Amino acid sequence: MNEATIDIKTNEMAHDDHHGPAKGITRWLYTTNHKDIGTLYLLFSLLMLFVGGAMALVIRTELFAPGMQITTPEFYNQMVSMHGLVMIFLVIMPTFIGLANWMIPLMIGAPDMALPRLNNWSFWVLVIASIVLMSTFFVEGGAPSGGWTFYAPLSTEYAKPSITFMILSIHLLGMSSIMGALNIISTIFNLRAPGMGYMKMPLFVWTWLITAFLLLAVMPVLAGLVTMMLTDIHFGTSFFNAAGGGDPVMFQHLFWFFGHPEVYIMILPAFGIVSMILPTFSRKPLFGYDSMVYATASIAILSMIVWAHHMFTAGMPLAGEIFFMATTMIIAVPTGVKVFNWIATMFQGSITFETPMLFAIAFVALFTIGGLSGVMMAMASVDIQYHDSYFIVAHFHYVLVPGALFAIYAGVYYWLPKWTGKMYNETLGQIHFWLSFVSVNLTFFPMHFVGLAGMPRRIPDYSLQFSDFNALATIGAFAFGISQLIFAYIVIRAMFAGKPATQEVWDNPEGLEWTIPSPAPYHTFETPPEVK
């Protein structure tokens, strides 16, 4: 085995053989360093955020006024479908896996992720999957247009060629997620520093451990579902075709058995980030650490038994409706525990309002709005009225934009000095927050009203009475999109030109002992790490 040293400034291994350290593009292609791979995930997600965001702006431009503006109904549906797939599978999930790659080894004292080569592979499989998915725009017939849920038999009996590409892409995305989840579980179980018991782990590590098990449980279900779609399209089976003895409702059961835990896969790591940030800027320990861990586990378990609340209009026995209604409402209990603990953490704290704290507080407030509208939709009798209206769109965007995305922004601002060794521009960060906060509410809050008034989703045209609120939402969407350019500028500037970060970067010497850059401990992974 070659001896190797770490160059502290570049965080690269310098070997004494004739190959030398990897340079340029080769370093990024072959890297097994968890920090490099985390950076790749985060930069890839930032790029895809603007791709998916551009699709959202096409949707909102079409909806600015009644009548058809710039698209055809078919292209509008392609935009709706691809926007959902890109934002879920290529933005939110890869970002959280990138944050896990960067931070989990540092938080638990591990030299790196447990399976570094698998880690590299999981990222590049994600990139290939994204290329396959985006290529559907150039296939005959265009991209999938059956919504991000691609319900059969609409997506199988009337399948475009692009549906096959989408199925391949989903298989690859599932592979990437499963490899990432296996890596995170292996790392947390096996590479914790001596003395770090499970109930001493930071909340971000706990939320990701639970999320990883959720991923392992539900991604194979999605893989099985799209394989059944594939055989329906190409091999003459009739899993979802009633004329051949199949059951279209079975598609919904299988899809939402994956789809509802998927919502929690996208929000549990956000809970972890917020649980790290609020204590720091409140200068207080997190209130109720044990209850936060148990609440997270409870949410994950309950998320597996509530899927059919998406299917109240599909027809089910009264007992089934009552069961799924009750379990859905019960999820509000551990979620409420978390919100209570966050508020209690801030109560009587010595709070300062730096950018990460602003995003974290906004997360608590706006995620709660999304959660309350979720409790409204949990009631089977009234969900029949809300179903497939813009009220649903408002609900899940409040959970995923000021929810997951704001938590990601909070985490990036919080850890950016750690990652780059440089401080971001705090004034620009505050401007980014306030523009985002105002515009996200301007975009999505009016959707509650048009949804309750009966405006259906997935339709490119609408009645005249909805035009004022839709115009407001479109203005808000463009303001939100433009404000994210400020975020990209802040991040890139911090990478190359910010002021050096200090130990006291948040004027809190005790709360953030790991804000200065640190090299990864050297390890070849050819022998087990020694515990000293």
Side-chain angles (χ1 to χ4, degrees), residues 10-11 27-28 33-43 94-113 119 184 187 204-205 208 411-412 415-421 495 514-521:
T10 63
N11 199 23
R27 169 192 169 188
W28 296 102
N33 183 321
H34 72 99
K35 297 182 177 182
D36 287 351
I37 294 170
T39 303
L40 286 170
Y41 267 110
L42 293 169
L43 292 176
T95 305
F96 281 133
I97 293 176
L99 292 171
N101 263 295
W102 243 108
M103 300 314 302
I104 287 176
L106 302 182
M107 289 178 170
I108 65 174
D112 201 299
M113 297 297 279
N119 207 10
I184 288 164
T187 304
F204 180 69
V205 180
W208 242 118
V412 168
W415 288 317
L416 202 57
K418 166 67 187 167
W419 297 340
T420 64
M495 289 166 66
W514 35 286
T515 49
I516 53 172
S518 64

Side-chain angles (χ1 to χ4, degrees), residues 507-524:
D507 298 323
N508 180 23
E510 296 173 354
L512 270 175
E513 68 278 4
W514 35 286
T515 49
I516 53 172
S518 64
Y522 166 65
H523 196 270
T524 63

Side-chain angles (χ1 to χ4, degrees), residues 315-380:
M316 68 174 73
L318 181 62
E321 285 195 5
I322 291 169
F323 172 82
F324 286 107
M325 180 169 69
T327 51
T328 304
M329 289 183 173
I330 289 168
I331 281 197
V333 176
T335 309
V337 168
K338 284 183 167 293
V339 173
F340 172 83
N341 285 4
W342 289 327
I343 294 169
T345 300
M346 292 186 283
F347 182 66
Q348 292 190 335
S350 179
I351 299 177
T352 52
F353 295 100
E354 286 88 354
T355 308
M357 186 62 163
L358 289 173
F359 272 109
I361 293 171
F363 168 92
V364 175
L366 299 183
F367 172 78
T368 302
I369 292 174
L372 291 173
S373 62
V375 173
M376 291 170 65
M377 292 183 301
M379 293 180 279

Side-chain angles (χ1 to χ4, degrees), residues 65-321:
M68 299 306 293
Q69 317 297 321
I70 62 167
T71 68
T72 62
E74 173 68 14
F75 187 71
Y76 177 86
N77 284 335
Q78 291 177 17
M79 287 288 102
V80 170
S81 309
M82 293 296 285
H83 166 70
L85 290 168
V86 167
M87 286 302 192
I88 290 168
F89 291 110
L90 303 182
V91 178
I92 301 294
M93 289 173 68
T95 305
F96 281 133
I97 293 176
L99 292 171
N101 263 295
W102 243 108
M103 300 314 302
I104 287 176
L106 302 182
M107 289 178 170
I108 65 174
D112 201 299
M113 297 297 279
L115 307 164
R117 288 176 182 150
L118 194 75
N119 207 10
N120 173 285
W121 195 33
S122 67
F123 173 73
W124 290 111
V125 167
L126 170 75
V127 174
I128 294 166
S130 69
I131 293 168
V132 172
L133 185 62
M134 301 310 294
S135 72
T136 57
F137 281 111
F138 308 102
V139 174
E140 181 187 356
S145 53
W148 81 273
T149 55
F150 46 88
Y151 278 179
L154 178 66
S155 57
T156 53
E157 296 305 302
Y158 308 98
K160 305 175 177 180
S162 59
I163 293 286
T164 305
F165 281 81
M166 183 196 75
I167 289 169
L168 172 61
S169 173
I170 287 172
H171 270 302
L172 293 171
L173 290 164
M175 281 174 57
S176 173
S177 296
I178 287 169
M179 287 190 287
L182 285 170
N183 209 353
I184 288 164
I185 292 168
S186 304
T187 304
I188 295 170
F189 278 1
N190 297 312
L191 293 182
R192 297 190 315 284
M196 174 166 281
Y198 288 109
M199 297 310 284
K200 293 182 180 177
M201 296 193 306
L203 247 293
F204 180 69
V205 180
W206 255 118
T207 53
W208 242 118
L209 179 63
I210 292 164
T211 302
F213 277 108
L214 265 185
L215 273 168
L216 289 186
V218 302
M219 290 309 290
V221 177
L222 181 65
L225 175 68
V226 294
T227 304
M228 293 157 82
M229 286 176 63
L230 193 70
T231 61
D232 269 14
I233 295 167
H234 294 291
F235 300 108
T237 57
S238 296
F239 287 113
F240 308 122
N241 181 5
D247 183 4
V249 176
M250 180 172 70
F251 180 97
Q252 294 191 36
H253 277 293
L254 290 170
F255 182 87
W256 288 115
F257 186 81
F258 149 80
H260 196 80
E262 169 66 20
V263 175
Y264 289 93
I265 287 164
M266 291 189 287
I267 204 68
L268 289 182
F271 291 167
I273 293 170
V274 170
S275 300
M276 303 288 292
I277 292 171
L278 292 178
T280 298
F281 296 98
S282 301
R283 275 78 183 172
K284 282 176 63 189
L286 181 71
F287 182 90
Y289 171 92
D290 289 17
S291 64
M292 292 292 259
V293 172
Y294 298 136
T296 306
S298 304
I299 290 169
I301 293 164
L302 287 167
S303 77
M304 302 285 289
I305 57 170
V306 299
W307 76 89
H309 65 212
H310 295 270
M311 300 167 57
F312 283 149
T313 57
M316 68 174 73
L318 181 62
E321 285 195 5

Side-chain angles (χ1 to χ4, degrees), residues 360-372 395 398-399 401-403 406 433 436-437 440-441 445:
I361 293 171
F363 168 92
V364 175
L366 299 183
F367 172 78
T368 302
I369 292 174
L372 291 173
H395 158 71
Y398 258 91
V399 172
V401 184
F406 272 26
F433 167 75
S436 297
F437 179 80
V440 84
N441 283 291
F445 206 79

Side-chain angles (χ1 to χ4, degrees), residues 366 398 401-402 406 431-447 472-484:
L366 299 183
Y398 258 91
V401 184
F406 272 26
I431 291 169
H432 171 230
F433 167 75
W434 285 109
L435 283 174
S436 297
F437 179 80
V438 172
S439 59
V440 84
N441 283 291
L442 186 61
T443 304
F444 297 116
F445 206 79
M447 292 183 189
L472 274 178
T474 298
I475 292 165
F478 273 88
F480 185 75
I482 291 165
S483 59
Q484 303 328 301

